[in-house]
């Protein structure tokens, strides 16, 4: 059975691991980020016209702080289907799902043209500036940093050992930051030219390519379904190669 490393934080890591197992792929979970709620002061919910959500973790942080109900009456513009599903499960009545990336989310909100400011519960570390992107469309976003994703200090020893032994055929990466952390923690990895690197998007793959990981594959579009299709295709190629040998 082909084994693959799952680098996502929890609870997403367990979800992806279950999907891989259903495809006949052995998952090896090694979350490289840990979710942490931050005690930020939040603005009054009154006066906001909408909520922008680039990650379900923003909603999770509001829920854990006990602040979610104050914002649940707002239309929630979500980056993708999974984030939208999380919003619905947490009680949002009006949920609009994007196609999976921040640029599309900005375009979707701009087309809707909310008649007031937009509340954005955000991570401490962000790959882009949603507020600035919306400002180009004449929209104002109020960003509140409500959570952080803390980096792992080391790869779990069993996972590192299996990587060094060549027992893990590929690793899955969903964010550029996770890829950067893996590059730092995998310094000295003996088999970096052999391991498959399966990435959600080109920007995610860039740090890995720069670190000379060469067997890189990209999902056809930024979704979990596309990542599973990429993983299954890689696993089938691996199995064919094993039979040929």
């Amino acid at each position: 059975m082909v084994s693959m490393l799952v680098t996502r934080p929890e609870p997403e890591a367990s979800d992806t691991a279950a999907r891989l197992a259903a495809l006949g792929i052995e998952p090896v979970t090694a979350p490289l980020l840990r979710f942490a709620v931050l005690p930020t002061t939040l603005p009054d919910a009154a006066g906001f016209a909408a909520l922008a959500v680039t990650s379900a973790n923003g909603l999770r942080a509001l829920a854990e702080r006990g602040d979610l109900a104050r914002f649940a009456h707002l239309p929630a513009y979500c980056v993708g289907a999974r984030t939208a599903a999380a919003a619905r499960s947490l009680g949002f009545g009006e949920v609009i799902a994007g196609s999976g990336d921040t640029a599309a989310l900005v375009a979707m909100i701009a087309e809707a043209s909310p008649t007031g400011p937009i509340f954005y519960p955000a991570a401490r570390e962000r790959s882009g500036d949603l507020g600035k992107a919306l400002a180009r469309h004449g929209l104002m976003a109020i960003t509140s940093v409500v959570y952080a994703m803390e980096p792992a200090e080391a790869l779990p020893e069993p996972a590192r050992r299996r990587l060094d032994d060549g027992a893990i055929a590929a690793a899955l990466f969903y964010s550029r930051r996770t890829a950067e952390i893996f590059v730092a923690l995998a310094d000295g990895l003996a088999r970096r030219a052999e391991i498959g690197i399966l990435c959600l998007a080109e920007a995610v793959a860039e740090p890995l390519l720069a670190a000379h990981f060469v067997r890189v594959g990209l999902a056809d579009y930024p979704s979990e379904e596309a990542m599973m299709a990429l993983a299954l295709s890689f696993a089938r190629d691996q199995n064919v190669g094993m039979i040929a040998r």
Side-chain angles (χ1 to χ4, degrees), residues 94-227:
E94 185 177 352
V95 178
I96 306 94
S99 60
D101 63 60
T102 304
L105 175 64
V106 169
M108 182 174 69
I109 297 173
E111 184 176 357
S113 191
T115 56
I118 298 153
F119 179 57
Y120 175 36
R124 186 178 61 198
E125 293 84 12
R126 301 184 295 281
S127 58
D129 191 330
L130 185 74
K132 186 178 293 185
L134 287 170
R136 297 190 188 103
H137 297 275
L139 300 171
M140 180 173 67
I142 306 300
T143 301
S144 289
V145 176
V146 295
Y147 73 98
M149 300 304 295
E150 303 289 356
E153 296 181 356
L155 288 168
E157 186 54 36
R160 178 60 190 244
R161 187 165 55 249
R162 293 187 68 182
L163 284 167
D164 282 331
D165 291 344
I168 292 175
L172 282 67
F173 296 93
Y174 289 74
S175 73
R176 185 185 182 97
R177 187 163 176 239
T178 303
E180 290 169 344
I181 293 167
F182 181 78
V183 166
L185 298 183
D187 184 47
L189 183 65
R191 297 175 178 268
R192 69 175 55 209
E194 299 174 18
I195 186 171
I197 299 296
L198 311 183
C199 298
L200 187 70
E202 185 175 353
V204 176
E206 286 172 352
L208 294 148
L209 288 166
H212 309 296
F213 289 92
V214 295
R215 294 187 67 191
V216 175
L218 302 179
D220 289 338
Y221 50 93
S223 76
E224 176 75 327
E225 289 70 24
M227 284 293 284

Side-chain angles (χ1 to χ4, degrees), residues 72 74-78 80-81 83-89 91-98 108:
L74 296 172
Y77 290 89
C78 299
T83 303
R88 293 187 189 97
S89 72
F92 284 84
E94 185 177 352
V95 178
I96 306 94
M108 182 174 69

Side-chain angles (χ1 to χ4, degrees), residues 1-2 6 14-28 228:
M1 180 184 288
V2 173
V6 181
S14 292
D15 291 342
T16 294
R19 284 174 172 252
L20 289 173
L23 296 174
I25 298 167
E26 181 196 12
V28 180
M228 292 300 100

